[in-house]
Amino acid sequence: MQYFMIKNIHNQTLFLDLTFIPIIIEEDIVGIYLIITDNTDKTELKQELMLWENHLNYAQQIAEIGSWEYVFNEDKLICSKNFYNMLGLDYQKYISINKPFKQIHPEDLDISLQYLKKAIYDGENYTHKVRVYHRKTKELKHLKVHAEVFFEEGKPAKIFGIIKDETYQILLKKKLMEQNEGYKSIFDNLTSGIWMREKIGGKFLFASKGLESILEIPLSTLYEDSKAWYNMIQPVHLPELAKGKKKMINGQSFQWIYRINSGSGTTKWLLEEVVPRLDDHGQI
């Protein structure tokens, strides 16, 4: 059998299989039968499927996800190429479910097995986060797993799942938390007061310990009552504050000197500077 690709009279590409069968009479070849099979539709479908598979793999790489399908009665795990890349495994047509489980962090192994068993025996879908070690680099990865169970004849038969690599986001969040703790430590040891609100006159997101000694009220009062500080300001200074709010709405910093009646009843002069931060839409 020979495979040929030709153009017909309409300039269309055809994919043909040619089978040559010799006609033998008294050991002499006197002719040849030729059987031509048109496999154009099958070949084009195969090429289209390969193209979609490549597109899917590229899309998964960009989105940092991998897909997998587990068939229960065959213990067959069929995975996308990016699934193997994310775990550092060499590509295979299918593998046993035990293979990726060997890379799970020991502290996450039991809960991961429990989710899998509930899916197999009870048909429960699940979503959970798990840490795995990359097979080649030994890097610890943080993955989010989502799985849905498919039934056949009323019984769980297979699972289709997605894994997403959240390592970068988790490490970034951890780094930001460490930085914030560092800043908080610095701010809490300043005699000045540092604060941050979600908006003008809104709830306090952060208030340093310096404010406690300045205002002479517990910080918890500020978090519980966003107007507690405002109510301490002597009325004669409130018109100036109203002007300052207009500046802040336009993204300008505002500095003013004013008096308060502190929590102990003492009159204090304060110097305060407020710096607004605007988003891409010009909103505070």
Side-chain angles (χ1 to χ4, degrees), residues 100-273:
F101 271 79
K102 291 178 180 178
Q103 294 173 230
I104 293 179
H105 191 287
E107 294 177 3
D108 297 343
L109 182 57
D110 286 344
I111 187 66
S112 298
L113 289 171
Q114 289 177 29
Y115 277 117
L116 181 64
K117 288 177 180 178
K118 280 186 171 292
I120 294 173
Y121 297 111
D122 302 328
E124 291 187 12
N125 300 337
Y126 63 88
T127 299
H128 79 115
K129 295 185 178 182
V130 61
R131 293 167 293 175
V132 302
Y133 289 99
H134 192 277
R135 181 72 176 273
K136 296 177 180 177
T137 66
K138 310 303 179 185
E139 178 186 2
L140 185 64
K141 294 278 189 178
H142 297 262
L143 304 181
K144 184 176 183 179
V145 182
H146 176 72
E148 295 192 7
V149 182
F150 288 80
F151 292 75
E152 292 180 2
E153 299 180 355
K155 296 181 180 180
K158 61 182 179 180
I159 305 174
F160 178 78
I162 296 290
I163 61 171
K164 179 170 176 56
D165 190 346
E166 296 188 337
T167 306
Y168 175 77
Q169 292 90 331
I170 289 176
L171 293 180
L172 180 60
K173 184 178 179 180
K174 182 180 179 182
K175 185 176 181 180
L176 288 174
M177 288 177 64
E178 290 174 351
Q179 287 180 343
N180 288 341
E181 284 299 316
Y183 290 136
K184 185 177 182 298
S185 176
I186 294 171
F187 294 156
D188 282 344
N189 285 282
L190 293 175
T191 55
S192 302
I194 307 291
W195 58 266
M196 181 166 59
R197 292 180 186 249
E198 61 183 0
K199 58 183 179 180
I200 296 175
K203 292 181 179 180
F204 280 89
L205 301 177
F206 173 76
S208 69
K209 289 183 179 179
L211 282 174
E212 201 164 46
S213 59
I214 293 171
L215 303 178
E216 296 185 279
I217 60 172
L219 291 181
S220 58
T221 302
L222 288 178
Y223 288 117
E224 293 166 5
D225 181 5
S226 61
K227 292 186 177 180
W229 188 347
Y230 177 85
N231 293 334
M232 294 181 181
I233 301 171
Q234 294 189 2
V236 68
H237 299 291
L238 294 180
E240 188 179 357
L241 177 59
K243 293 179 181 178
K245 286 182 178 179
K246 291 181 180 179
K247 287 185 176 182
M248 288 186 283
I249 290 173
N250 294 323
Q252 295 176 271
S253 298
F254 168 56
Q255 187 181 87
W256 65 317
I257 299 175
Y258 62 100
R259 286 170 293 177
I260 65 166
N261 297 321
S262 71
S264 68
T266 305
T267 298
K268 292 187 175 184
W269 282 94
L270 303 185
L271 166 63
E272 183 176 24
E273 183 169 11

Side-chain angles (χ1 to χ4, degrees), residues 58-69:
Y58 292 142
Q60 290 192 0
Q61 288 181 22
I62 293 170
E64 294 185 311
I65 63 173
S67 58
W68 54 276
E69 180 180 338

